Amino acid sequence: MKQQELGNISLPKIVVIGGGTGLSVMLRGLKEKPLDITAIVTVADDGGSSGRLRNELQMPPPGDIRNVLLALSDVEPLMSQLLSYRFSNGNGLAGHSLGNLILAAITDISGDFVTGVRELSRVLAVRGRVLPAAAHATVLKAEMMDGTIVTGESMIPKARNRIKRVFIEPPLVEPLPEAVEAIREADAILIGPGSLYTSIMPNLLVPALADAIIESGALKMFVCNVMTQPGETDGYTVSDHLDAIEEHVGSSLFDYVIVNNGEIPAPVLAKYAEEGAEAVAVDSDKLAGRNLKIVADRLLMFRTYLRHDAARLSRHIYQLVENWMARKR
């Protein structure tokens, strides 16, 4: 992999792993930093437009990939709006986003989803690389505490049952070789934010990807969600998120965990409580017993929904990477 350079200075290589809205929001800020970014994105989505295209065209789901491509792109606002546009009418069109359809078309033209992602990255002037975790879609399943099995990424939160573990089929899915190579060459690896079981875990359940992360000597960071997710992480603290990841990969991973300690306005908490969500508690006592460091700051902003403050979060991430690189020199 050719490392990006700024002048004659090699940029630190960072691999960002996840999926969903949280990852895209963060990448909009991170792309402004002098970093060589590779985003590895889940291919387990089976809901909405992505799920329909996955089933009808036998292709990996394009939605999370599309969002990450747009987050890292340098295109005019109108083009971004067009690719995010979702049809509300039309027989067969309603519910589809234009970006998903374009990615499906490029996949059909090129004959290969990975090549299609690469070509659309070029068209959108993406800063960095976007790679699916695997070349083929995976099926995510969850075993609940009562022993029931729920099939499908979109169905797991709807079950409203406590999750014991998640797993993928096929279990020995081959990762994209470029994704493994990116992890092995990384100076830093960043996991999250995103839905713990349905956006983050599907990547870590690809065996070779998890092994490469465990074996890597890179700086490893976890960005924890601000709010719990109904039907997925009800009542979870920061430590519970870390415990779940460690139980699934069989190893502790992180050098740093980045958390929000900013106060959330009462009306916002009340709005989320109506949906069964609450702020993820930073259980400092339990975290103190782990071999990692905590970075805590006011990292949220609220418009229609609570989101990470991409600029502030990115400053923390970049500072950690810079300090890590300085110690290695």
Side-chain angles (χ1 to χ4, degrees):
M1 179 174 67
K2 184 178 180 180
Q3 189 176 43
Q4 289 187 0
E5 295 186 352
L6 186 64
N8 294 321
I9 302 173
S10 295
L11 302 183
K13 298 177 181 179
I14 183 168
V15 172
V16 184
I17 301 172
T21 305
L23 179 65
S24 300
V25 168
M26 181 185 66
L27 286 172
R28 291 183 191 279
L30 207 57
K31 75 177 180 183
E32 303 300 332
K33 302 298 181 184
L35 295 167
D36 181 355
I37 300 172
T38 298
I40 298 175
V41 186
T42 176
V43 287
D45 188 9
D46 65 355
S49 170
S50 285
R52 288 165 60 190
L53 291 172
R54 169 183 172 148
N55 293 332
E56 292 171 14
L57 301 181
Q58 299 301 301
M59 64 177 286
D64 283 340
I65 294 279
R66 181 204 77 231
N67 285 332
V68 170
L69 287 170
L70 285 175
L72 289 174
S73 68
D74 277 327
V75 294
E76 294 297 323
L78 178 58
M79 178 60 74
S80 180
Q81 291 173 4
L82 280 171
L83 292 175
S84 299
Y85 176 78
R86 195 171 295 276
F87 293 91
S88 57
N89 297 297
N91 186 22
L93 272 179
H96 278 304
S97 86
L98 181 58
N100 285 358
L101 295 175
I102 289 174
L103 191 47
I106 293 178
T107 297
D108 195 38
I109 291 167
S110 67
D112 174 70
F113 182 67
V114 176
T115 303
V117 171
R118 189 180 299 121
E119 289 301 307
L120 190 54
S121 296
R122 183 178 56 79
V123 171
L124 297 177
V126 165
R127 300 189 198 179
R129 293 194 302 168
V130 180
L131 302 173
H136 304 284
T138 58
V139 176
L140 185 68
K141 296 187 175 185
E143 179 185 359
M144 301 301 186
M145 287 297 185
D146 62 5
T148 59
I149 302 295
V150 178
T151 299
E153 177 267 344
S154 63
M155 301 306 297
I156 291 170
K158 294 178 182 177
R160 292 299 178 116
N161 202 340
R162 196 161 181 87
I163 298 169
K164 180 178 181 180
R165 69 182 181 104
V166 290
F167 55 101
I168 57 172
E169 290 187 353
L172 300 179
V173 62
E174 286 293 323
L176 204 66
E178 295 97 314
V180 176
E181 179 188 12
I183 292 170
R184 288 175 177 164
E185 294 185 355
D187 296 304
I189 298 170
L190 178 63
I191 296 176
S195 301
L196 177 64
Y197 288 105
T198 55
S199 291
I200 292 173
M201 289 297 192
N203 299 289
L204 302 180
L205 293 171
V206 178
L209 287 186
D211 291 343
I213 296 168
I214 292 168
E215 294 165 4
S216 171
L219 169 68
K220 298 169 192 171
M221 301 165 283
F222 176 65
V223 180
C224 192
N225 285 353
V226 174
M227 304 296 290
T228 62
Q229 293 184 277
E232 192 160 340
T233 55
D234 301 280
Y236 273 39
T237 65
V238 175
S239 285
D240 291 329
H241 283 76
L242 295 170
D243 285 340
I245 291 173
E246 291 176 9
E247 287 167 7
H248 280 76
V249 303
S251 174
S252 59
L253 293 181
F254 303 109
D255 302 296
Y256 287 89
V257 59
I258 303 173
V259 301
N260 171 66
N261 67 356
E263 185 176 350
I264 302 172
V268 177
L269 286 175
K271 177 180 178 179
Y272 273 83
E274 291 174 1
E275 301 173 0
E278 61 185 3
V280 174
V282 182
D283 48 346
S284 300
D285 291 343
K286 287 188 177 180
L287 290 171
R290 294 175 176 271
N291 187 28
L292 53 70
K293 296 179 181 178
I294 306 167
V295 175
D297 194 5
R298 179 178 172 78
L299 296 175
L300 53 82
M301 56 174 32
F302 178 76
R303 291 193 178 116
T304 306
Y305 298 97
L306 277 173
R307 295 285 184 252
H308 276 96
D309 182 328
R312 184 171 293 203
L313 177 58
S314 296
R315 284 197 297 270
H316 281 290
I317 293 166
Y318 182 66
Q319 190 61 60
L320 290 175
V321 175
E322 276 286 275
N323 292 343
W324 179 267
M325 297 300 291
R327 290 196 296 270
K328 287 175 62 177
R329 293 187 187 109

